[in-house]
Amino acid sequence: GAVVSQHPSWVICKSGTSVKIECRSLDFQATTMFWYRQFPKQSLMLMATSNEGSKATYEQGVEKDKFLINHASLTLSTLTVTSAHPEDSSFYICSARGVPHFIQETQYFGPGTRLLVL
Amino acid sequence: GESVGLHLPTLSVQEGDNSIINCAYSNSASDYFIWYKQESGKGPQFIIDIRSNMDKRQGQRVTVLLNKTVKHLSLQIAATQPGDSAVYFCAESGEYGNKLVFGAGTILRVKS
């Protein structure tokens, strides 16, 4: 149980285009989903927290107009990188917390999406 | 805040030996801790967790120890196998509400 998927697993795009990444909880309902960014040989950096049906809460320094997050259902959250630039190239990982039989704080992670902006 | 580690510490162990990975956490108000394993190019995988009202918790081949006095967490892996090679992250939760705060990570290399 507690399986989280992401799509696509990798994407290459031209500078200036927008890219949408999907995060799905496959076997549980995710009341909260998180989006992280990870650079090589570094730890995970939390970008934003999204609760189903409400606006995402962004961490300090993360541009909400650049990284659009939608959590439309209890099993799906999307991250859209708008007008992507080479510096947005990174590994993006989502995680999800379920209800109610999972420990509240435990986050289960997706496999990640590698974004390369040319 | 988040943890940044440009030079992750590396632990090299011989296959079959026991591994101990350490983590120092920062917030004494944290009351829940998790260890994750991350293989190259993949997302973190849940290994084991522990609450602050416990000192030790055991799983399959893994044990987590919590020392609240010195704010220290450790992950012990018994009979380490090549498949255990990965980056291991500790994470803490509590005062931050929904959030997990991740440590810098430790690279575990298992030599056959």
Side-chain angles (χ1 to χ4, degrees), chain B residues 35 48 56-59 61-65 74-78:
Chain B
W35 280 100
I48 193 168
K56 179 180 178 179
R57 191 161 186 233
Q58 287 184 293
R61 270 202 316 121
V62 295
T63 301
V64 55
L65 299 177
S74 69
L75 176 70
Q76 300 178 359
I77 304 174

mmCIF file with all atom_site columns, all heavy atoms in Angstrom, chain B residues 35 48 56-59 61-65 74-78:
data_model
loop_
_atom_site.group_PDB
_atom_site.id
_atom_site.type_symbol
_atom_site.label_atom_id
_atom_site.label_alt_id
_atom_site.label_comp_id
_atom_site.label_asym_id
_atom_site.label_entity_id
_atom_site.label_seq_id
_atom_site.pdbx_PDB_ins_code
_atom_site.Cartn_x
_atom_site.Cartn_y
_atom_site.Cartn_z
_atom_site.occupancy
_atom_site.B_iso_or_equiv
_atom_site.pdbx_formal_charge
_atom_site.auth_seq_id
_atom_site.auth_comp_id
_atom_site.auth_asym_id
_atom_site.auth_atom_id
_atom_site.pdbx_PDB_model_num
ATOM 1   N N   . TRP B 1 35 ? 13.106 7.552  8.636  1.00 0.00 ? 35 TRP B N   1
ATOM 2   C CA  . TRP B 1 35 ? 14.261 7.289  7.771  1.00 0.00 ? 35 TRP B CA  1
ATOM 3   C C   . TRP B 1 35 ? 13.752 6.910  6.388  1.00 0.00 ? 35 TRP B C   1
ATOM 4   O O   . TRP B 1 35 ? 12.860 6.080  6.233  1.00 0.00 ? 35 TRP B O   1
ATOM 5   C CB  . TRP B 1 35 ? 15.117 6.157  8.332  1.00 0.00 ? 35 TRP B CB  1
ATOM 6   C CG  . TRP B 1 35 ? 16.038 6.566  9.438  1.00 0.00 ? 35 TRP B CG  1
ATOM 7   C CD1 . TRP B 1 35 ? 15.859 6.395  10.771 1.00 0.00 ? 35 TRP B CD1 1
ATOM 8   C CD2 . TRP B 1 35 ? 17.305 7.227  9.297  1.00 0.00 ? 35 TRP B CD2 1
ATOM 9   N NE1 . TRP B 1 35 ? 16.929 6.904  11.471 1.00 0.00 ? 35 TRP B NE1 1
ATOM 10  C CE2 . TRP B 1 35 ? 17.833 7.410  10.582 1.00 0.00 ? 35 TRP B CE2 1
ATOM 11  C CE3 . TRP B 1 35 ? 18.046 7.672  8.193  1.00 0.00 ? 35 TRP B CE3 1
ATOM 12  C CZ2 . TRP B 1 35 ? 19.062 8.027  10.817 1.00 0.00 ? 35 TRP B CZ2 1
ATOM 13  C CZ3 . TRP B 1 35 ? 19.277 8.279  8.420  1.00 0.00 ? 35 TRP B CZ3 1
ATOM 14  C CH2 . TRP B 1 35 ? 19.763 8.447  9.714  1.00 0.00 ? 35 TRP B CH2 1
ATOM 15  N N   . ILE B 1 48 ? 11.569 3.240  8.009  1.00 0.00 ? 48 ILE B N   1
ATOM 16  C CA  . ILE B 1 48 ? 11.092 3.022  9.361  1.00 0.00 ? 48 ILE B CA  1
ATOM 17  C C   . ILE B 1 48 ? 10.872 4.371  10.028 1.00 0.00 ? 48 ILE B C   1
ATOM 18  O O   . ILE B 1 48 ? 11.500 5.369  9.645  1.00 0.00 ? 48 ILE B O   1
ATOM 19  C CB  . ILE B 1 48 ? 12.098 2.164  10.175 1.00 0.00 ? 48 ILE B CB  1
ATOM 20  C CG1 . ILE B 1 48 ? 11.471 1.664  11.480 1.00 0.00 ? 48 ILE B CG1 1
ATOM 21  C CG2 . ILE B 1 48 ? 13.400 2.924  10.427 1.00 0.00 ? 48 ILE B CG2 1
ATOM 22  C CD1 . ILE B 1 48 ? 12.301 0.591  12.183 1.00 0.00 ? 48 ILE B CD1 1
ATOM 23  N N   . LYS B 1 56 ? 13.553 3.180  20.784 1.00 0.00 ? 56 LYS B N   1
ATOM 24  C CA  . LYS B 1 56 ? 14.036 2.180  19.827 1.00 0.00 ? 56 LYS B CA  1
ATOM 25  C C   . LYS B 1 56 ? 12.850 1.548  19.128 1.00 0.00 ? 56 LYS B C   1
ATOM 26  O O   . LYS B 1 56 ? 11.791 1.342  19.734 1.00 0.00 ? 56 LYS B O   1
ATOM 27  C CB  . LYS B 1 56 ? 14.824 1.106  20.593 1.00 0.00 ? 56 LYS B CB  1
ATOM 28  C CG  . LYS B 1 56 ? 15.371 -0.025 19.758 1.00 0.00 ? 56 LYS B CG  1
ATOM 29  C CD  . LYS B 1 56 ? 16.122 -1.020 20.656 1.00 0.00 ? 56 LYS B CD  1
ATOM 30  C CE  . LYS B 1 56 ? 16.657 -2.192 19.877 1.00 0.00 ? 56 LYS B CE  1
ATOM 31  N NZ  . LYS B 1 56 ? 17.413 -3.128 20.761 1.00 0.00 ? 56 LYS B NZ  1
ATOM 32  N N   . ARG B 1 57 ? 13.057 1.272  17.863 1.00 0.00 ? 57 ARG B N   1
ATOM 33  C CA  . ARG B 1 57 ? 12.027 0.567  17.110 1.00 0.00 ? 57 ARG B CA  1
ATOM 34  C C   . ARG B 1 57 ? 12.714 -0.320 16.094 1.00 0.00 ? 57 ARG B C   1
ATOM 35  O O   . ARG B 1 57 ? 13.672 0.102  15.437 1.00 0.00 ? 57 ARG B O   1
ATOM 36  C CB  . ARG B 1 57 ? 11.092 1.558  16.428 1.00 0.00 ? 57 ARG B CB  1
ATOM 37  C CG  . ARG B 1 57 ? 9.867  0.919  15.843 1.00 0.00 ? 57 ARG B CG  1
ATOM 38  C CD  . ARG B 1 57 ? 8.754  1.897  15.591 1.00 0.00 ? 57 ARG B CD  1
ATOM 39  N NE  . ARG B 1 57 ? 7.555  1.176  15.162 1.00 0.00 ? 57 ARG B NE  1
ATOM 40  C CZ  . ARG B 1 57 ? 6.876  1.444  14.075 1.00 0.00 ? 57 ARG B CZ  1
ATOM 41  N NH1 . ARG B 1 57 ? 7.261  2.424  13.285 1.00 0.00 ? 57 ARG B NH1 1
ATOM 42  N NH2 . ARG B 1 57 ? 5.813  0.740  13.767 1.00 0.00 ? 57 ARG B NH2 1
ATOM 43  N N   . GLN B 1 58 ? 12.200 -1.525 15.959 1.00 0.00 ? 58 GLN B N   1
ATOM 44  C CA  . GLN B 1 58 ? 12.852 -2.471 15.053 1.00 0.00 ? 58 GLN B CA  1
ATOM 45  C C   . GLN B 1 58 ? 11.938 -2.841 13.906 1.00 0.00 ? 58 GLN B C   1
ATOM 46  O O   . GLN B 1 58 ? 10.722 -2.992 14.056 1.00 0.00 ? 58 GLN B O   1
ATOM 47  C CB  . GLN B 1 58 ? 13.253 -3.733 15.816 1.00 0.00 ? 58 GLN B CB  1
ATOM 48  C CG  . GLN B 1 58 ? 14.431 -3.529 16.741 1.00 0.00 ? 58 GLN B CG  1
ATOM 49  C CD  . GLN B 1 58 ? 14.875 -4.823 17.411 1.00 0.00 ? 58 GLN B CD  1
ATOM 50  O OE1 . GLN B 1 58 ? 14.154 -5.389 18.214 1.00 0.00 ? 58 GLN B OE1 1
ATOM 51  N NE2 . GLN B 1 58 ? 16.069 -5.285 17.094 1.00 0.00 ? 58 GLN B NE2 1
ATOM 52  N N   . GLY B 1 59 ? 12.577 -2.998 12.738 1.00 0.00 ? 59 GLY B N   1
ATOM 53  C CA  . GLY B 1 59 ? 11.861 -3.504 11.578 1.00 0.00 ? 59 GLY B CA  1
ATOM 54  C C   . GLY B 1 59 ? 12.600 -4.718 11.059 1.00 0.00 ? 59 GLY B C   1
ATOM 55  O O   . GLY B 1 59 ? 13.397 -5.337 11.774 1.00 0.00 ? 59 GLY B O   1
ATOM 56  N N   . ARG B 1 61 ? 15.462 -6.202 9.550  1.00 0.00 ? 61 ARG B N   1
ATOM 57  C CA  . ARG B 1 61 ? 16.891 -5.901 9.369  1.00 0.00 ? 61 ARG B CA  1
ATOM 58  C C   . ARG B 1 61 ? 17.264 -4.459 9.712  1.00 0.00 ? 61 ARG B C   1
ATOM 59  O O   . ARG B 1 61 ? 18.421 -4.073 9.590  1.00 0.00 ? 61 ARG B O   1
ATOM 60  C CB  . ARG B 1 61 ? 17.346 -6.166 7.909  1.00 0.00 ? 61 ARG B CB  1
ATOM 61  C CG  . ARG B 1 61 ? 17.844 -7.538 7.657  1.00 0.00 ? 61 ARG B CG  1
ATOM 62  C CD  . ARG B 1 61 ? 18.757 -7.648 6.434  1.00 0.00 ? 61 ARG B CD  1
ATOM 63  N NE  . ARG B 1 61 ? 18.295 -6.940 5.261  1.00 0.00 ? 61 ARG B NE  1
ATOM 64  C CZ  . ARG B 1 61 ? 19.010 -5.978 4.665  1.00 0.00 ? 61 ARG B CZ  1
ATOM 65  N NH1 . ARG B 1 61 ? 20.178 -5.611 5.132  1.00 0.00 ? 61 ARG B NH1 1
ATOM 66  N NH2 . ARG B 1 61 ? 18.527 -5.379 3.590  1.00 0.00 ? 61 ARG B NH2 1
ATOM 67  N N   . VAL B 1 62 ? 16.324 -3.663 10.109 1.00 0.00 ? 62 VAL B N   1
ATOM 68  C CA  . VAL B 1 62 ? 16.628 -2.273 10.472 1.00 0.00 ? 62 VAL B CA  1
ATOM 69  C C   . VAL B 1 62 ? 16.145 -1.959 11.866 1.00 0.00 ? 62 VAL B C   1
ATOM 70  O O   . VAL B 1 62 ? 15.139 -2.497 12.326 1.00 0.00 ? 62 VAL B O   1
ATOM 71  C CB  . VAL B 1 62 ? 16.013 -1.266 9.470  1.00 0.00 ? 62 VAL B CB  1
ATOM 72  C CG1 . VAL B 1 62 ? 16.630 -1.415 8.095  1.00 0.00 ? 62 VAL B CG1 1
ATOM 73  C CG2 . VAL B 1 62 ? 14.515 -1.415 9.401  1.00 0.00 ? 62 VAL B CG2 1
ATOM 74  N N   . THR B 1 63 ? 16.893 -1.086 12.524 1.00 0.00 ? 63 THR B N   1
ATOM 75  C CA  . THR B 1 63 ? 16.539 -0.604 13.855 1.00 0.00 ? 63 THR B CA  1
ATOM 76  C C   . THR B 1 63 ? 16.788 0.889  13.892 1.00 0.00 ? 63 THR B C   1
ATOM 77  O O   . THR B 1 63 ? 17.837 1.358  13.410 1.00 0.00 ? 63 THR B O   1
ATOM 78  C CB  . THR B 1 63 ? 17.408 -1.282 14.938 1.00 0.00 ? 63 THR B CB  1
ATOM 79  O OG1 . THR B 1 63 ? 17.214 -2.692 14.881 1.00 0.00 ? 63 THR B OG1 1
ATOM 80  C CG2 . THR B 1 63 ? 17.019 -0.781 16.326 1.00 0.00 ? 63 THR B CG2 1
ATOM 81  N N   . VAL B 1 64 ? 15.854 1.636  14.433 1.00 0.00 ? 64 VAL B N   1
ATOM 82  C CA  . VAL B 1 64 ? 16.055 3.064  14.623 1.00 0.00 ? 64 VAL B CA  1
ATOM 83  C C   . VAL B 1 64 ? 16.172 3.336  16.117 1.00 0.00 ? 64 VAL B C   1
ATOM 84  O O   . VAL B 1 64 ? 15.410 2.806  16.921 1.00 0.00 ? 64 VAL B O   1
ATOM 85  C CB  . VAL B 1 64 ? 14.918 3.900  13.980 1.00 0.00 ? 64 VAL B CB  1
ATOM 86  C CG1 . VAL B 1 64 ? 13.552 3.476  14.486 1.00 0.00 ? 64 VAL B CG1 1
ATOM 87  C CG2 . VAL B 1 64 ? 15.134 5.379  14.201 1.00 0.00 ? 64 VAL B CG2 1
ATOM 88  N N   . LEU B 1 65 ? 17.169 4.118  16.469 1.00 0.00 ? 65 LEU B N   1
ATOM 89  C CA  . LEU B 1 65 ? 17.399 4.525  17.849 1.00 0.00 ? 65 LEU B CA  1
ATOM 90  C C   . LEU B 1 65 ? 17.252 6.026  17.955 1.00 0.00 ? 65 LEU B C   1
ATOM 91  O O   . LEU B 1 65 ? 17.748 6.768  17.099 1.00 0.00 ? 65 LEU B O   1
ATOM 92  C CB  . LEU B 1 65 ? 18.802 4.107  18.306 1.00 0.00 ? 65 LEU B CB  1
ATOM 93  C CG  . LEU B 1 65 ? 19.105 2.609  18.306 1.00 0.00 ? 65 LEU B CG  1
ATOM 94  C CD1 . LEU B 1 65 ? 20.558 2.377  18.711 1.00 0.00 ? 65 LEU B CD1 1
ATOM 95  C CD2 . LEU B 1 65 ? 18.171 1.863  19.239 1.00 0.00 ? 65 LEU B CD2 1
ATOM 96  N N   . SER B 1 74 ? 19.628 7.372  14.905 1.00 0.00 ? 74 SER B N   1
ATOM 97  C CA  . SER B 1 74 ? 20.490 6.487  14.125 1.00 0.00 ? 74 SER B CA  1
ATOM 98  C C   . SER B 1 74 ? 19.667 5.381  13.483 1.00 0.00 ? 74 SER B C   1
ATOM 99  O O   . SER B 1 74 ? 18.616 4.993  13.978 1.00 0.00 ? 74 SER B O   1
ATOM 100 C CB  . SER B 1 74 ? 21.597 5.896  14.994 1.00 0.00 ? 74 SER B CB  1
ATOM 101 O OG  . SER B 1 74 ? 21.060 4.984  15.930 1.00 0.00 ? 74 SER B OG  1
ATOM 102 N N   . LEU B 1 75 ? 20.193 4.912  12.378 1.00 0.00 ? 75 LEU B N   1
ATOM 103 C CA  . LEU B 1 75 ? 19.586 3.796  11.650 1.00 0.00 ? 75 LEU B CA  1
ATOM 104 C C   . LEU B 1 75 ? 20.617 2.680  11.596 1.00 0.00 ? 75 LEU B C   1
ATOM 105 O O   . LEU B 1 75 ? 21.738 2.896  11.107 1.00 0.00 ? 75 LEU B O   1
ATOM 106 C CB  . LEU B 1 75 ? 19.200 4.224  10.236 1.00 0.00 ? 75 LEU B CB  1
ATOM 107 C CG  . LEU B 1 75 ? 18.649 3.110  9.341  1.00 0.00 ? 75 LEU B CG  1
ATOM 108 C CD1 . LEU B 1 75 ? 17.263 2.678  9.828  1.00 0.00 ? 75 LEU B CD1 1
ATOM 109 C CD2 . LEU B 1 75 ? 18.563 3.571  7.874  1.00 0.00 ? 75 LEU B CD2 1
ATOM 110 N N   . GLN B 1 76 ? 20.258 1.540  12.098 1.00 0.00 ? 76 GLN B N   1
ATOM 111 C CA  . GLN B 1 76 ? 21.141 0.395  12.046 1.00 0.00 ? 76 GLN B CA  1
ATOM 112 C C   . GLN B 1 76 ? 20.594 -0.606 11.040 1.00 0.00 ? 76 GLN B C   1
ATOM 113 O O   . GLN B 1 76 ? 19.414 -0.948 11.095 1.00 0.00 ? 76 GLN B O   1
ATOM 114 C CB  . GLN B 1 76 ? 21.266 -0.252 13.430 1.00 0.00 ? 76 GLN B CB  1
ATOM 115 C CG  . GLN B 1 76 ? 21.821 0.694  14.477 1.00 0.00 ? 76 GLN B CG  1
ATOM 116 C CD  . GLN B 1 76 ? 21.909 0.067  15.857 1.00 0.00 ? 76 GLN B CD  1
ATOM 117 O OE1 . GLN B 1 76 ? 21.542 -1.089 16.047 1.00 0.00 ? 76 GLN B OE1 1
ATOM 118 N NE2 . GLN B 1 76 ? 22.399 0.822  16.824 1.00 0.00 ? 76 GLN B NE2 1
ATOM 119 N N   . ILE B 1 77 ? 21.460 -1.037 10.146 1.00 0.00 ? 77 ILE B N   1
ATOM 120 C CA  . ILE B 1 77 ? 21.082 -2.033 9.154  1.00 0.00 ? 77 ILE B CA  1
ATOM 121 C C   . ILE B 1 77 ? 21.909 -3.290 9.415  1.00 0.00 ? 77 ILE B C   1
ATOM 122 O O   . ILE B 1 77 ? 23.143 -3.239 9.400  1.00 0.00 ? 77 ILE B O   1
ATOM 123 C CB  . ILE B 1 77 ? 21.332 -1.539 7.712  1.00 0.00 ? 77 ILE B CB  1
ATOM 124 C CG1 . ILE B 1 77 ? 20.598 -0.217 7.479  1.00 0.00 ? 77 ILE B CG1 1
ATOM 125 C CG2 . ILE B 1 77 ? 20.890 -2.588 6.698  1.00 0.00 ? 77 ILE B CG2 1
ATOM 126 C CD1 . ILE B 1 77 ? 20.906 0.423  6.125  1.00 0.00 ? 77 ILE B CD1 1
ATOM 127 N N   . ALA B 1 78 ? 21.251 -4.374 9.670  1.00 0.00 ? 78 ALA B N   1
ATOM 128 C CA  . ALA B 1 78 ? 21.945 -5.629 9.951  1.00 0.00 ? 78 ALA B CA  1
ATOM 129 C C   . ALA B 1 78 ? 22.260 -6.363 8.653  1.00 0.00 ? 78 ALA B C   1
ATOM 130 O O   . ALA B 1 78 ? 21.500 -6.308 7.678  1.00 0.00 ? 78 ALA B O   1
ATOM 131 C CB  . ALA B 1 78 ? 21.071 -6.511 10.842 1.00 0.00 ? 78 ALA B CB  1
#
